[in-house]
Amino acid sequence: MKKRKIVGILVALFVVAVPAMAVFTGMGLDATLSNLRRELYHDYLLIDKTRSNMESKYEVQHKRMVDIVKKCNDLSLMLYSQKQSYTFDISYALEKVTEEYNDFNKNRTPYDRIVSTLDVEINRYARLIESLRRLPPELRDVEVVPDSLAYHNDTLDAHLMANESLLQQELQEQVEAVLAADTAFILSETGQAERDSCLLYASELLKMYAETREMVMADSTHYREARLRMEESYDYARDYYGILEDKVFVEGQTPWRDILEQPAKYWKEAWKAIGEKYSLIFIQQLFTEEKMEINAEEISKDSQLANSAKLYWMMLYFVAFFVLWGLSALILLLICKFVKPVRETVKKGQKRYLALLLASVLFIILSYESTDDDILRKSIAIMETFMLLLTAIYTALLVRLDAEKLKYSARIYLPTIFTALYVISCRVLFVPNAFLNYFFPPFLLVMALWQLLANFLNRKKADKTDVITGWVSSGITAAALVIGIKGYIFLALIILVWWYFQLTMVLAIACVWDLMVLYKKKRLNKRISAQKNKLNYITGPAKEQLLFGATWFYDLLREVVLPLLVLSSIPACLFLALNIFEFNDLYNTIFREPFLRQGDMTVSMYSVLFLIGMFFVFRYLNKAFHTIFQTLKYRIFMRKNNRKSVRNDEVNLALGNSLISVFVWFVYIDLFVVTLNIPTKSLGLIAGGLSAGIGLALKDILNNFIYGIQLMGGRLRVGDWIECDGIRGKVVDINYQTTLVETLFGTQVAFLNSSLFGKNFTNLTRNNAYELTIIKVGVAYGTDFQKVRAALEKGLEVLKTKDKYGRDIVEPTYGHYIRFDDFGDSSVNVAVRQYVLVSEQIEYRYQCKELIYKILAENGITIPFPQRDVHMIPNDK
């Protein structure tokens, strides 16, 4: 029992000492408390500044929270108040809710993290105050600290409360006895004063953090409510998006056929909707059967400003643009009159379009306005987008065309521009569905006829590219007309706006192409000529490949940039068109959402376009790496052999080119697998399971592949002359399955790599490219052989020429070697021996035989031919 009491006392002392160990680091209590007091005093002196900083941060967060709550209420009212007949308004409200919800989640205020940080500080100071209170002599309580902030998780008190009656009393008395016996453990008067100061400073800091936490918690509650309401609005918007998309793209609106059956009814509905939308009272009364008692107070002033003012704002914009156009024409006229270089450069037919271009730029600059009204800001942005595209179209025309064709090509695009302006105006003004259903198909019919007339009248004098584009515009306008007549008005609007964006991209790409052609004529051809002169060490097809050093920028534009522009223009233009009508989710559905899902593998339009674009990039990289490799290979070869030129196909490039192609396209295949998320584990399992069967089935293919690599590694190269199975020819290609040989007769023979590798083929040009050539000729018996030798040696000197690479056709050290070959039936055979280039051997034989015949004839040397004497024996009988 006594041992248990001692153990209990030691445990109690240890529990009391543990909190103090976090602060007291080996120094005396008085010194530790003094250091702690100075630190707390420093924080206490900064308490006002800290409180001010925390309050300022709180005010910012509070203001943002209030703004979010207000915005949430506004969005809810705007979203739930939209009529189904106002598709533009509904789509705007849905998009606005989605945008605000995404922005809310992206910039979400971290109230939980703020409260957690404050809780840590509050808990730290509460524990510090409790630890200071326990220091002997222990204080019963700390009056400056409210009970709600005090630290109550006292392990020692819990232990003592668990032991009642005598054991608890004995433990407490023994603890006090131990403490009384060890006076060094009790704080001195100075230490107690330091503790009191520490308690004061710590309690004030604790109260400050507690007050801040209460304010943050209050805002956190409101913020949580706003988040829930925002989520509710967002869920409603998501559901309504599906309904709206079905209505626009599946169900459609009122077909024009139904409107033609009851034109008067839909006529009244259209104008009635206009009157209600823009608060035009006289129109409402005019097209309403029963006279309406309209109270002006019932019509919101804000609604009038937001709807009626749009009409006047749009009219003002049109007037302002034409005024700017007139001023720009006047400014341009004055500049052309007084500035001679401009007058000489600008042609008469270009002035109106330059003025239009200048007016568009001024309109974009002057129309810029920073406003807090989202609808007004969106409308201004849409009009500026239209003007930017108009500027791009006419800039492309001015750059591409001369003054004679400019006028006729510009006329072709006028119907498309007016159609796009009409559609965008309807979107800016939030035109009701009833008005669009009634008036849009007739308007589109007029535009389609105008487009056809413009194409027909200007087809001969306009640029060919513009004529083709005009006919495409006619087709798209006709398709939109058919869709609109069927009742899918908004789908037709989206198609027309998309084509306006796409038309701008088409003209921009055409402009880039024309500039590239001009650049090639004026700059690139000169660079190519200079590069050819620089590459005087190589000739033939290899020289053409090395011209990449001069054409790399042009090739980059033609083979990479232009294809990427074409590919990216399709989703970009569709995104911009859908963004005009707030159908951004539809863009994600078309391009981002997978249309093919097989396990983990997903295929979307975006991934398909991305991989097609990367194909052009990797193809260009493959070409660039090949050129770099070939250039380095040629230079190393010339430096190693102390040469200033390289013959065609003299350097073995087959293996290096093959490895480069394998590496580049292997990376592309890897990118392909990663982009489509093709499961590599499944591929590995399939490959492992089928490896045995595939190995047996593809044995010959694999052998040809391996032997092809070995042949390309040095045994054979493109340009070598070989002889195999009685076939002699030049190697023109080595791939991973076959070796292609061009024979002397011009035909091509393909040898399997495995069969060629296993045969004893003869490489005629492996060592020195010369082959012994023997030409025999017979002279009459009795002819002086030395005379024959001298005549041939002298006469054949003319054959010692050079080929196109500067090599001696006849090996100079051996020359022509004339020897007595054999005794023939009717002549003495002479052998003309020489080493001739294999590539020149066929032509050399013909020339040499012709020359031998000429030499012998000129020197009176007879070439006998077989003769037979027939003796007729007369019959004596």
Side-chain angles (χ1 to χ4, degrees):
M1 186 67 180
K2 187 175 181 180
K3 290 182 178 180
R4 289 181 60 191
K5 292 181 179 180
I6 295 174
V7 171
I9 293 172
L10 293 175
V11 170
L13 290 176
F14 177 75
V15 171
V16 171
V18 165
M21 293 296 292
V23 179
F24 304 147
T25 57
M27 298 183 293
L29 285 176
D30 293 345
T32 302
L33 288 172
S34 178
N35 292 334
L36 179 60
R37 178 188 58 78
R38 284 194 292 270
E39 294 176 3
L40 292 174
Y41 179 68
H42 178 268
D43 295 337
Y44 179 76
L45 292 178
L46 298 176
I47 190 172
D48 293 334
K49 183 177 180 180
T50 304
R51 181 180 284 111
S52 177
N53 292 335
M54 296 182 68
E55 288 178 354
S56 62
K57 292 180 180 179
Y58 167 75
E59 290 176 0
V60 172
Q61 295 170 354
H62 180 74
K63 183 178 181 303
R64 187 173 182 277
M65 186 273 300
V66 172
D67 293 339
I68 290 174
V69 173
K70 290 181 178 179
K71 187 176 292 184
C72 180
N73 294 330
D74 293 340
L75 290 175
S76 299
L77 294 175
M78 179 180 66
L79 181 63
Y80 302 137
S81 64
Q82 301 301 327
K83 297 181 179 180
Q84 294 187 19
S85 59
Y86 294 165
T87 302
F88 285 132
D89 302 66
I90 294 174
S91 62
Y92 171 78
L94 296 177
E95 178 62 23
K96 193 63 183 175
V97 169
T98 304
E99 179 183 342
E100 292 297 336
Y101 178 77
N102 294 331
D103 182 68
F104 176 84
N105 288 330
K106 182 179 180 181
N107 302 311
R108 187 172 179 178
T109 303
Y111 280 103
D112 295 338
R113 190 174 63 197
I114 296 173
V115 172
S116 177
T117 302
L118 293 173
D119 286 340
V120 171
E121 293 298 318
I122 292 172
N123 188 40
R124 182 170 69 87
Y125 281 108
R127 286 176 178 270
L128 176 61
I129 292 172
E130 181 64 18
S131 298
L132 291 171
R133 184 189 68 80
R134 291 174 183 171
L135 293 177
E138 181 178 339
L139 301 176
R140 296 191 61 84
D141 55 15
V142 181
E143 297 179 357
V144 293
V145 178
D147 186 65
S148 60
L149 299 179
Y151 177 72
H152 296 288
N153 190 15
D154 194 335
T155 308
L156 179 59
D157 291 342
H159 175 74
L160 293 176
M161 290 177 65
N163 298 275
E164 298 177 354
S165 65
L166 180 62
L167 179 59
Q168 179 178 356
Q169 183 177 358
E170 289 179 356
L171 285 174
Q172 185 68 22
E173 291 177 355
Q174 292 180 17
V175 168
E176 292 177 354
V178 171
L179 296 176
D182 191 358
T183 57
F185 190 71
I186 299 176
L187 293 176
S188 63
E189 293 182 359
T190 304
Q192 293 181 34
E194 296 286 357
R195 179 176 64 176
D196 294 340
S197 299
C198 291
L199 287 172
L200 175 64
Y201 301 145
S203 61
E204 292 298 323
L205 292 170
L206 176 62
K207 292 176 184 178
M208 179 191 69
Y209 284 111
E211 293 171 359
T212 304
R213 184 182 185 279
E214 290 179 1
M215 294 187 295
V216 173
M217 285 297 297
D219 280 355
S220 176
T221 302
H222 295 295
Y223 189 82
R224 192 178 300 110
E225 294 177 357
R227 179 174 61 82
L228 294 175
R229 295 184 62 183
M230 186 74 76
E231 289 180 352
E232 179 185 3
S233 300
Y234 176 75
D235 294 337
Y236 175 81
R238 300 304 305 164
D239 295 338
Y240 209 125
Y241 251 128
I243 298 173
L244 183 63
E245 289 177 359
D246 289 339
K247 184 177 180 181
V248 171
F249 302 108
V250 179
E251 299 175 4
Q253 291 76 47
T254 306
W256 181 247
R257 181 181 58 186
D258 297 345
I259 295 176
L260 291 178
E261 293 176 356
Q262 295 177 311
K265 172 187 175 182
Y266 289 102
W267 172 269
K268 291 182 179 180
E269 289 183 359
W271 286 108
K272 180 181 177 182
I274 289 293
E276 292 178 354
K277 180 65 178 178
Y278 303 110
S279 303
L280 302 177
I281 300 176
F282 70 95
I283 293 181
Q284 296 183 56
Q285 294 178 343
L286 181 63
F287 292 97
T288 304
E289 295 180 358
E290 298 180 359
K291 296 297 181 180
M292 299 173 57
E293 294 293 334
I294 299 176
N295 187 357
E297 294 180 357
E298 294 178 358
I299 303 175
S300 172
K301 294 182 180 180
D302 293 337
S303 177
Q304 291 179 359
L305 182 62
N307 292 318
S308 301
K310 292 177 184 177
L311 293 172
Y312 304 108
W313 174 79
M314 183 64 70
M315 288 187 242
L316 179 63
Y317 261 51
F318 284 133
V319 172
F321 175 74
F322 283 105
V323 170
L324 286 176
W325 193 359
L327 290 175
S328 301
L330 180 61
I331 293 171
L332 187 61
L333 181 63
L334 294 175
I335 293 175
C336 292
K337 184 176 181 180
F338 295 104
V339 181
K340 184 177 179 181
V342 178
R343 183 171 64 252
E344 294 177 350
T345 303
V346 178
K347 306 299 180 182
K348 183 178 179 180
Q350 296 176 333
K351 292 181 180 179
R352 69 181 70 174
Y353 300 105
L354 284 173
L356 177 63
L357 188 62
L358 180 59
S360 301
V361 174
L362 292 175
F363 182 85
I364 293 171
I365 296 173
L366 296 177
S367 64
Y368 176 78
E369 181 180 354
S370 178
T371 177
D372 294 333
D373 192 324
D374 292 329
I375 297 179
L376 182 58
R377 185 170 59 249
K378 179 76 173 179
S379 301
I380 293 175
I382 292 174
M383 293 304 299
E384 288 180 347
T385 302
F386 172 80
M387 297 307 300
L388 279 172
L389 297 178
L390 182 65
T391 303
I393 289 174
Y394 280 100
T395 301
L397 292 176
L398 286 168
V399 172
R400 291 174 48 239
L401 306 176
D402 53 22
E404 296 180 359
K405 293 184 177 181
L406 177 61
K407 176 175 64 174
Y408 302 102
S409 294
R411 290 174 181 174
I412 292 177
Y413 297 112
L414 284 178
T416 302
I417 293 172
F418 273 94
T419 303
L421 179 61
Y422 175 83
V423 174
I424 289 176
S425 300
C426 291
R427 162 59 187 84
V428 170
L429 296 175
F430 291 93
V431 175
N433 296 6
F435 187 86
L436 280 175
N437 293 338
Y438 196 93
F439 289 100
F440 182 70
F443 169 80
L444 202 55
L445 177 61
V446 173
M447 291 296 105
L449 294 176
W450 184 13
Q451 185 70 64
L452 286 173
L453 184 63
N455 294 339
F456 183 77
L457 294 177
N458 301 284
R459 69 187 187 281
K460 294 182 179 180
K461 297 182 179 180
D463 184 74
K464 187 175 181 180
T465 302
D466 300 318
V467 173
I468 295 174
T469 307
W471 288 113
V472 174
S473 297
S474 294
I476 292 176
T477 306
L481 175 61
V482 173
I483 293 172
I485 291 175
K486 291 289 186 179
Y488 298 94
I489 300 294
F490 290 92
L491 179 58
L493 294 176
I494 293 173
I495 291 174
L496 292 172
V497 173
W498 164 79
W499 174 241
Y500 184 60
F501 282 102
Q502 193 67 53
L503 176 64
T504 307
M505 290 298 300
V506 168
L507 293 179
I509 293 171
C511 182
V512 173
W513 178 259
D514 290 343
L515 291 175
M516 289 173 56
V517 173
L518 184 63
Y519 166 76
K520 184 178 180 181
K521 291 180 179 178
K522 293 189 174 182
R523 295 285 185 88
L524 185 60
N525 290 336
K526 295 180 181 179
R527 294 188 61 184
I528 291 175
S529 299
Q531 186 74 1
K532 287 183 177 179
N533 296 331
K534 185 178 179 181
L535 297 173
N536 53 7
Y537 57 86
I538 189 68
T539 58
K543 188 172 186 177
E544 297 297 327
Q545 295 177 0
L546 295 181
L547 293 178
F548 181 79
T551 64
W552 67 269
F553 180 70
Y554 178 81
D555 292 340
L556 177 65
L557 293 177
R558 183 171 60 89
E559 299 178 8
V560 179
V561 176
L562 283 181
L564 290 181
L565 281 176
V566 173
L567 286 174
S568 62
S569 68
I570 299 173
C573 293
L574 185 59
F575 171 79
L576 293 172
L578 293 174
N579 185 56
I580 294 291
F581 299 98
E582 281 87 20
F583 282 110
N584 293 337
D585 279 2
L586 183 60
Y587 170 82
N588 294 328
T589 302
I590 296 174
F591 284 97
R592 297 285 183 176
E593 292 295 327
F595 62 84
L596 176 62
R597 191 185 297 273
Q598 189 70 30
D600 294 334
M601 185 181 72
T602 56
V603 182
S604 63
M605 286 297 299
Y606 174 80
S607 61
V608 171
L609 292 176
F610 173 76
L611 290 174
I612 295 174
M614 287 297 101
F615 169 79
F616 293 105
V617 173
F618 278 86
R619 187 181 65 173
Y620 177 81
L621 291 176
N622 185 49
K623 182 178 179 180
F625 290 154
H626 277 291
T627 303
I628 294 172
F629 166 73
Q630 292 174 15
T631 302
L632 294 176
K633 192 76 173 178
Y634 285 138
R635 291 180 179 178
I636 293 172
F637 176 82
M638 289 188 294
R639 188 182 300 113
K640 182 178 179 181
N641 296 278
N642 196 20
R643 297 265 297 275
K644 293 184 178 180
S645 63
V646 180
R647 297 189 300 273
N648 194 25
D649 298 328
E650 186 177 9
V651 179
N652 186 16
L653 302 172
L655 182 60
N657 287 333
S658 299
L659 291 177
I660 290 173
S661 298
V662 168
F663 171 76
V664 171
W665 294 116
F666 176 81
V667 174
Y668 177 76
I669 292 173
D670 186 59
L671 179 65
F672 188 92
V673 172
V674 173
T675 302
L676 299 183
N677 198 26
I678 298 176
T680 54
K681 292 183 179 179
S682 300
L683 292 177
L685 292 175
I686 294 173
L690 300 178
S691 58
I694 292 175
L696 292 174
L698 303 180
K699 177 183 177 182
D700 294 335
I701 295 177
L702 294 176
N703 286 339
N704 288 323
F705 177 81
I706 295 172
Y707 290 139
I709 293 177
Q710 294 184 6
L711 288 174
M712 289 184 286
R715 294 191 60 180
L716 203 60
R717 65 190 177 196
V718 175
D720 283 352
W721 285 78
I722 66 171
E723 186 171 354
C724 181
D725 291 341
I727 299 175
R728 172 183 289 230
K730 179 182 178 181
V731 178
V732 294
D733 184 41
I734 305 174
N735 54 47
Y736 293 109
Q737 292 299 316
T738 60
T739 298
L740 197 63
V741 177
E742 184 177 353
T743 67
L744 300 175
F745 302 100
T747 59
Q748 290 186 346
V749 179
F751 291 95
L752 290 175
N753 292 333
S754 57
S755 61
L756 186 64
F757 194 86
K759 294 179 180 179
N760 295 324
F761 69 90
T762 303
N763 192 331
L764 303 175
T765 55
R766 179 62 178 172
N767 292 333
N768 53 19
Y770 288 95
E771 182 184 16
L772 179 62
T773 303
I774 302 175
I775 300 176
K776 297 180 180 181
V777 62
V779 297
Y781 279 96
T783 304
D784 186 357
F785 184 78
Q786 297 301 325
K787 179 182 177 181
V788 175
R789 174 181 290 169
L792 291 177
E793 288 180 349
K794 181 180 179 181
L796 293 177
E797 287 293 325
V798 298
L799 295 179
K800 293 183 178 181
T801 58
K802 296 182 181 297
D803 67 350
K804 59 182 179 180
Y805 301 111
R807 297 177 297 175
D808 294 306
I809 295 179
V810 179
E811 206 281 323
T813 58
Y814 191 85
H816 296 94
Y817 201 65
I818 314 301
R819 285 292 181 267
F820 191 101
D821 183 65
D822 198 3
F823 296 98
D825 294 335
S826 57
S827 64
V828 175
N829 296 331
V830 178
V832 181
R833 302 164 60 92
Q834 59 266 301
Y835 282 92
V836 182
L837 285 172
V838 177
S839 57
E840 303 290 337
Q841 191 181 80
I842 303 301
E843 184 64 26
Y844 178 83
R845 280 182 174 275
Y846 294 134
Q847 294 179 2
C848 186
K849 289 178 181 179
E850 182 180 351
L851 187 58
I852 290 173
Y853 180 81
K854 180 180 179 181
I855 292 171
L856 295 179
E858 290 177 350
N859 288 272
I861 301 173
T862 304
I863 302 177
F865 52 88
Q867 300 182 25
R868 176 172 293 177
D869 294 334
V870 179
H871 298 277
M872 303 297 294
I873 302 175
N875 189 355
D876 295 339
K877 294 181 180 181

